[in-house]
Amino acid sequence: MVEFANSASMLGYILIDDEKTCCETQNYFEHQIKNSKSMNTSGNRDRKIFFNKMYEQIENLGEKLR
């Protein structure tokens, strides 16, 4: 049986054992990992781009909350 845990809230998880859903989730994560860069091995330029995008997203969300 294949299962994965999906965060339902800050307090708990939902266990899913549907084979199709588990397969699609596994494929999604494998694709994400394949197309990701390691922060450990990336250069300063890549880290700067990444963190600037994150800071921008945080600022945008902060503006929406105000």
Side-chain angles (χ1 to χ4, degrees):
M1 179 191 330
V2 179
E3 288 185 336
F4 81 94
N6 186 21
S7 175
S9 69
M10 290 174 51
L11 302 175
Y13 291 83
I14 297 172
L15 287 178
I16 298 172
D17 63 359
D18 177 66
E19 188 172 343
K20 182 179 177 194
T21 302
C22 291
C23 206
E24 288 176 4
T25 302
Q26 182 173 2
N27 289 339
Y28 169 80
F29 283 116
E30 287 173 353
H31 178 77
Q32 290 297 103
I33 291 168
K34 187 177 99 179
N35 292 310
S36 297
K37 276 189 175 181
S38 169
M39 294 298 284
N40 215 20
T41 60
S42 63
N44 287 337
R45 181 179 176 273
D46 289 329
R47 281 194 292 276
K48 184 175 180 180
I49 290 170
F50 172 81
F51 284 108
N52 284 341
K53 283 182 185 179
M54 293 301 106
Y55 292 139
E56 185 178 331
Q57 287 181 11
I58 291 167
E59 286 296 318
N60 291 339
L61 288 171
E63 289 296 321
K64 287 181 182 180
L65 292 173
R66 292 180 204 155

